[in-house]
């Protein structure tokens, strides 16, 4: 793939994300609280999450190795942060999950396809077709205001995401199968605080790298999570009532 083909790839990925964004307001992705038999065969949720998320970790690592970038800064830091997120998402998060829920194979396979493509997209934008000559500054690049702000946002988003997942996991006591409305941490302000954290995380990554591919990933994250946050917000209002949900927004505090 040459640079021109890679730019076309980014445009196609952006266009597909728009289709996904619109479609998810009409069709609920059938995992978690929205899983139904209509999505077909399902497998253990923990295994499905690992199989779905691990490909991007592997693809990114492999393409970094093949690129010859090596341990050059700042690209190696970009790689480290990306893999840090996906190591937790692939090999830690699934095995912290409680319960015996399942994920439809169709959802898992769609996730695998996206994650492979995203690994190619991020590796292309950071290692093979970087858009900034500033990467050649090495360590001094990381001292630039946008880079410092991006690193800070990345870790703020990661902490929000991890803490919000922790809150969700501890809503129930062992043996309890009831549904509860989360109210700790940023759940005081939004009904999908975990999604908000992930969105902030990847915005930080995009600011840090200043790579078009990273911004396309932000758009994909937004397109996937915002409609789902809307569906979750509506489900909570139906299940717990408007008074219980109160003035909480869907995913972005005080805004949406």
């Amino acid at each position: 793939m040459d640079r021109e083909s890679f730019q076309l790839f980014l445009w196609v990925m952006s266009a597909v994300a728009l289709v996904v964004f619109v479609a998810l307001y009409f069709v609920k992705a059938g995992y978690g609280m929205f899983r139904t038999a209509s999505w077909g065969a399902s497998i253990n949720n923990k295994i499905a999450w690992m199989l779905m998320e691990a490909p991007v970790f592997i693809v990114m690592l492999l393409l970094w190795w093949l690129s010859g970038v090596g341990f050059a800064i700042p690209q190696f830091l970009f790689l480290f942060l990306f893999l840090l997120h996906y190591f937790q998402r692939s090999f830690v998060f699934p095995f912290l999950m409680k319960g015996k829920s399942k994920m439809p194979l169709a959802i898992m396979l769609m996730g695998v396809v996206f994650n492979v493509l995203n690994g190619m997209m991020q590796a292309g934008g950071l290692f093979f077709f970087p858009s900034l000559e500033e990467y050649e500054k090495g360590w001094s690049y990381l001292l630039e205001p946008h880079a410092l702000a991006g690193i800070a946002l990345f870790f703020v988003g990661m902490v929000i995401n991890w803490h919000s997942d922790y809150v969700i996991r501890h809503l129930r006591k062992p043996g309890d199968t009831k549904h509860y409305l989360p109210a700790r941490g940023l759940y005081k302000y939004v009904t999908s605080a975990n999604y908000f954290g992930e969105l902030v995380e990847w915005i930080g990554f995009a600011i840090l790298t200043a790579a078009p591919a990273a911004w396309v990933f932000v758009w994909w994250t937004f397109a996937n999570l915002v409609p789902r946050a809307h569906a979750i917000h509506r489900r909570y209002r139906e299940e717990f009532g408007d008074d219980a949900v109160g003035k909480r927004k869907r995913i972005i505090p005080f805004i949406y």
Side-chain angles (χ1 to χ4, degrees):
M1 183 183 293
D2 57 22
R3 184 177 292 272
E4 185 175 332
S5 299
F6 181 70
Q7 293 300 319
L8 178 60
F9 175 44
L10 295 185
W11 281 110
V12 171
M13 288 290 286
S14 299
V16 174
L18 178 60
V19 174
V20 169
F21 176 68
V22 174
L24 286 178
Y25 272 98
F26 298 94
V27 180
K28 299 181 183 68
Y31 63 95
M33 67 172 66
F34 299 111
R35 187 176 74 87
T36 64
S38 63
W39 280 90
S42 299
I43 65 170
N44 179 278
N45 207 31
K46 297 178 180 181
I47 302 302
W49 270 102
M50 183 181 70
L51 294 177
M52 181 172 67
E53 301 288 355
V56 70
F57 184 94
I58 296 168
V59 168
M60 190 72 163
L61 192 60
L62 177 63
L63 292 179
W64 162 75
W65 180 260
L66 294 175
S67 72
V69 168
F71 297 95
I73 299 296
Q75 287 101 318
F76 184 70
L77 176 66
F78 303 158
L79 174 74
F80 173 78
L81 295 179
F82 191 89
L83 295 186
L84 176 63
H85 172 91
Y86 277 104
F87 180 84
Q88 193 275 343
R89 207 68 181 165
S90 305
F91 308 114
V92 178
F93 169 77
F95 300 102
L96 293 175
M97 299 170 75
K98 298 182 178 180
K100 299 180 180 180
S101 59
K102 294 185 177 182
M103 180 185 294
L105 276 171
I107 295 291
M108 188 200 78
L109 292 175
M110 285 189 283
V112 168
V113 171
F114 170 73
N115 280 320
V116 169
L117 292 175
N118 190 40
M120 295 169 58
M121 185 166 65
Q122 300 312 310
L126 298 176
F127 310 139
F128 290 92
F129 307 109
S131 58
L132 291 182
E133 294 181 359
E134 282 84 352
Y135 290 175
E136 297 177 3
K137 294 180 179 179
W139 284 100
S140 63
Y141 176 89
L142 301 177
L143 299 177
E144 295 183 5
H146 81 275
L148 293 172
I151 292 171
L153 271 180
F154 181 87
F155 282 107
V156 167
M158 177 177 286
V159 169
I160 293 171
N161 180 250
W162 288 7
H163 178 261
S164 300
D165 284 340
Y166 175 87
V167 170
I168 290 290
R169 285 196 303 271
H170 291 82
L171 284 175
R172 297 172 179 169
K173 295 180 180 179
D176 189 357
T177 58
K178 293 181 181 179
H179 288 175
Y180 296 92
L181 180 65
R184 294 172 55 195
L186 279 182
Y187 285 109
K188 297 175 184 177
Y189 306 101
V190 293
T191 50
S192 291
N194 50 343
Y195 293 166
F196 174 67
E198 188 165 351
L199 184 59
V200 169
E201 194 175 346
W202 293 122
I203 288 173
F205 187 78
I207 292 172
L208 166 64
T209 63
W215 283 109
V216 174
F217 185 28
V218 170
W219 168 222
W220 259 98
T221 302
F222 183 93
N224 182 44
L225 297 185
V226 169
R228 184 166 179 84
H230 171 74
I232 290 172
H233 189 267
R234 186 166 59 184
R235 171 65 68 87
Y236 282 159
R237 287 196 177 277
E238 292 171 354
E239 189 167 353
F240 301 107
D242 291 341
D243 289 342
V245 175
K247 295 183 179 180
R248 292 183 181 93
K249 299 298 184 179
R250 296 163 179 81
I251 184 171
I252 303 174
F254 310 112
I255 297 175
Y256 180 79

